């Protein structure tokens, strides 16, 4: 199977309602790729680490009657465990 060309990938992404906005930084100064998704009266923005695909930050803005910031998430640290009942440090 052939790999889609860059214009084909951009078209497929835009059909899904996802828009690539270029590089930007979060409030910690980490640089990532910015994508927005607009649906149902709000716009969500994701900042993604270009090296491993992990989400660095996300926020949602409402565009309905009372526009403004609805939610924001900044991911400082992540981890996993294979043991039940283990608490990861915040």
């Amino acid at each position: 199977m052939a790999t889609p060309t860059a214009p084909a990938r951009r078209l497929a992404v835009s059909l899904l309602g996802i828009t690539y906005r270029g590089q930007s930084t979060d409030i910690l100064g980490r640089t990532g790729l910015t994508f927005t998704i607009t649906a149902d009266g709000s716009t969500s923005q994701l900042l993604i680490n270009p090296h491993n695909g992990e989400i660095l930050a996300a926020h949602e803005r409402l565009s309905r009657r009372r526009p403004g910031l609805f939610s924001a998430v900044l991911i400082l640290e992540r981890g996993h465990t294979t043991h039940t009942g283990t608490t990861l440090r915040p």
Side-chain angles (χ1 to χ4, degrees):
M1 178 179 216
T3 303
T5 63
R9 287 191 303 264
R10 282 193 297 271
L11 176 62
V13 167
S14 67
L15 290 175
L16 297 172
I18 302 170
T19 305
Y20 173 64
R21 300 288 183 184
Q23 289 189 345
S24 62
T25 57
D26 63 13
I27 62 173
L28 295 176
R30 300 176 297 180
T31 300
L33 306 176
T34 305
F35 295 87
T36 58
I37 304 163
T38 302
D40 298 327
S42 70
T43 300
S44 297
Q45 182 173 328
L46 299 175
L47 183 66
I48 299 176
N49 183 323
H51 302 291
N52 59 20
E54 293 178 347
I55 297 174
L56 299 173
H59 72 266
E60 180 182 13
R61 291 196 172 274
L62 297 178
S63 55
R64 292 184 182 172
R65 283 187 262 164
R66 299 180 66 174
L69 183 63
F70 179 70
S71 67
V73 175
L74 182 65
I75 300 170
L76 301 176
E77 188 174 335
R78 65 172 186 79
H80 70 278
T81 182
T82 57
H83 303 287
T84 59
T86 303
T87 303
L88 298 175
R89 62 185 173 94

